[in-house]
Amino acid sequence: MSLVIGLVHDIRENPYFGAECKGPHDVVSDLLKPNEVNRIVCTLKELGHEVEIIDGPKDLLKRIDSIREEVDLIFNKSRGIRDLERKIFVPAICKLYGLPFVGSSGYNMTLALHKYHTNRFLKGLGFRVPEAHIFHPGENIFIGDLHYPVIVKPNNESSSLGITENSIFYADKGIKEAILKLQEDFDEPVVVEEYISGEEWKVAVVGNRPYSEAVGVVGAMRSGSTIDNSVQTREDIFYDRIEYYKPRDLGLMKKTLNSAKQIHDALECNDYSRCDFRLGRNKELVFMEVATHPDVSECSSFVTATLQRFGDYTNLIDFLLRTSCQRQGLSY
């Protein structure tokens, strides 16, 4: 069935991102690149659908009456620009006006973006997570019972924003200054986590509970080596330095797939998500973070992992549309 799909994303050339944006100079680098938008549009058209481009939540709200009449389904790829609530607007507008949309709810996206709350929530459900403290601007900084080494990062960011090779600390020296600098740069709380050395695995999950499915696992590597005693930095993302490989330990892969599905369902993710883990001591599986709004560009870890199940990009996008329509009672 042919649909009219409204692709919502934040256009980089929008003046809002230049004049009014606060934060590091590269903050807009998390937005979709033109070639990524074109690939999604071409795929949707290849599947027989019409596409309407919508420039973020403000444009969606401005044109809401015509969009409600003309658009069948919103494909939400709006990432917002600042603050913890930046991803809530498109899902909230869609809910308010009864527009079906692909992806998770605003609540779900905001919870997952808050690293510390997600960490505490999943620990309460019995998942292994790094011990962590959160420091809000103006509070006393005391590492307390955390064991070194630790990693320092902004609480509300994604795509490794704020993370560099200097984000890992092996003693108290310099850590307070690093926390204060991130608080100043990002104007948000900072999380300090016990650093987990070991391979970093990323798992793609699709569908909706109880029928969701973890469909693939990839490990992250840089310059031909796994990221064991290092971190994935913002520069790695920006300059496309990260490559992915399929792990060989089938038993551990099965365990990882099962854990990712459980997390996807526990957080009530809609349609698709990505769960990241580190392999700790004795290959113990440690949850790191979840992306309820993962990148769907062809070279992303999410898409690379899904190819183990779907074979090509077009089949993946078709499945996301189909599972979203089924969840919302739409014909497809």
Side-chain angles (χ1 to χ4, degrees):
M1 178 178 177
S2 177
L3 301 175
V4 178
I5 297 176
L7 176 60
V8 184
H9 74 100
D10 309 291
I11 297 175
R12 290 180 176 222
E13 289 73 20
N14 189 322
Y16 168 73
F17 297 133
E20 301 179 28
C21 171
K22 297 180 180 179
H25 66 88
D26 67 343
V27 71
V28 298
S29 63
D30 194 33
L31 306 182
L32 290 180
K33 300 174 184 176
N35 64 309
E36 294 170 349
V37 176
N38 290 339
R39 185 66 176 97
I40 296 173
V41 170
C42 289
T43 301
L44 293 173
K45 290 183 176 180
E46 180 184 339
L47 290 167
H49 307 299
E50 297 181 40
V51 181
E52 179 73 21
I53 298 294
I54 303 169
D55 181 10
K58 289 185 177 181
D59 191 34
L60 174 61
L61 194 56
K62 180 180 179 180
R63 299 163 51 197
I64 192 64
D65 290 335
S66 62
I67 289 171
R68 289 178 70 189
E69 292 181 2
E70 300 168 6
V71 172
D72 299 306
L73 180 69
I74 295 293
F75 198 129
N76 176 27
K77 293 312 299 177
S78 172
R79 297 178 180 176
I81 195 68
R82 295 304 303 148
D83 299 324
L84 177 63
E85 301 85 1
R86 63 184 178 271
K87 295 183 180 180
I88 200 173
F89 301 113
V90 171
I93 293 169
C94 288
K95 281 287 187 181
L96 180 63
Y97 288 96
L99 281 169
F101 63 97
V102 177
S104 290
S105 69
Y107 164 77
N108 176 280
M109 288 191 182
T110 303
L111 172 62
L113 198 59
H114 196 296
K115 291 181 173 63
Y116 184 74
H117 284 175
T118 305
N119 176 292
R120 297 296 91 183
F121 176 75
L122 290 175
K123 180 181 180 180
L125 293 180
F127 291 95
R128 173 79 166 88
V129 299
E131 288 303 319
H133 291 331
I134 187 169
F135 298 97
H136 293 79
E139 292 182 345
N140 291 331
I141 297 173
F142 178 64
I143 302 304
D145 56 354
L146 294 184
H147 296 94
Y148 285 101
V150 298
I151 183 169
V152 178
K153 51 190 175 182
N155 184 63
N156 307 337
E157 302 303 325
S158 57
S159 301
S160 296
L161 274 168
I163 297 178
T164 72
E165 289 290 352
N166 297 320
S167 295
I168 302 174
F169 290 83
Y170 295 86
D172 289 344
K173 184 178 179 180
I175 193 168
K176 181 177 180 179
E177 291 76 11
I179 293 171
L180 293 173
K181 183 68 165 61
L182 286 178
Q183 289 175 343
E184 179 182 0
D185 286 348
F186 289 88
D187 191 26
E188 66 187 56
V190 170
V191 167
V192 179
E193 290 180 349
E194 292 184 357
Y195 175 71
I196 307 297
S197 62
E199 293 182 55
E200 184 167 321
W201 287 9
K202 300 173 182 292
V203 186
V205 186
V206 297
N208 300 285
R209 64 182 301 177
Y211 306 111
S212 60
E213 180 184 1
V215 295
V217 184
V218 292
M221 60 192 302
R222 184 198 304 112
S223 301
S225 300
T226 59
I227 302 176
D228 288 1
N229 296 302
S230 181
V231 290
Q232 180 175 286
T233 68
R234 183 60 199 158
E235 286 72 22
D236 290 333
I237 301 295
F238 190 80
Y239 293 109
D240 294 324
R241 294 172 180 165
I242 301 299
E243 299 174 327
Y244 302 103
Y245 65 94
K246 184 177 180 179
R248 297 182 179 181
D249 189 329
L250 298 182
L252 190 55
M253 280 182 63
K254 183 177 180 180
K255 180 180 178 181
T256 308
L257 290 166
N258 184 56
S259 293
K261 172 183 164 50
Q262 291 177 358
I263 290 170
H264 177 93
D265 290 350
L267 291 173
E268 299 183 4
C269 298
N270 290 339
D271 305 332
Y272 66 122
S273 71
R274 191 199 72 235
C275 294
D276 297 349
F277 300 87
R278 281 255 176 164
L279 304 186
R281 295 178 181 176
N282 301 316
K283 293 190 175 182
E284 181 182 23
L285 201 62
V286 183
F287 168 81
M288 301 305 296
E289 65 179 31
V290 60
T292 57
H293 197 219
D295 182 4
V296 294
S297 59
E298 283 190 285
C299 62
S300 69
S301 58
F302 173 79
V303 171
T304 304
T306 63
L307 296 182
Q308 297 171 18
R309 166 71 162 75
F310 295 106
D312 66 34
Y313 187 76
T314 302
N315 289 337
L316 166 63
I317 298 300
D318 187 50
F319 180 88
L320 294 183
L321 297 177
R322 186 179 304 277
T323 194
S324 181
C325 287
Q326 289 175 345
R327 172 174 58 84
Q328 297 168 99
L330 302 178
S331 298
Y332 185 78

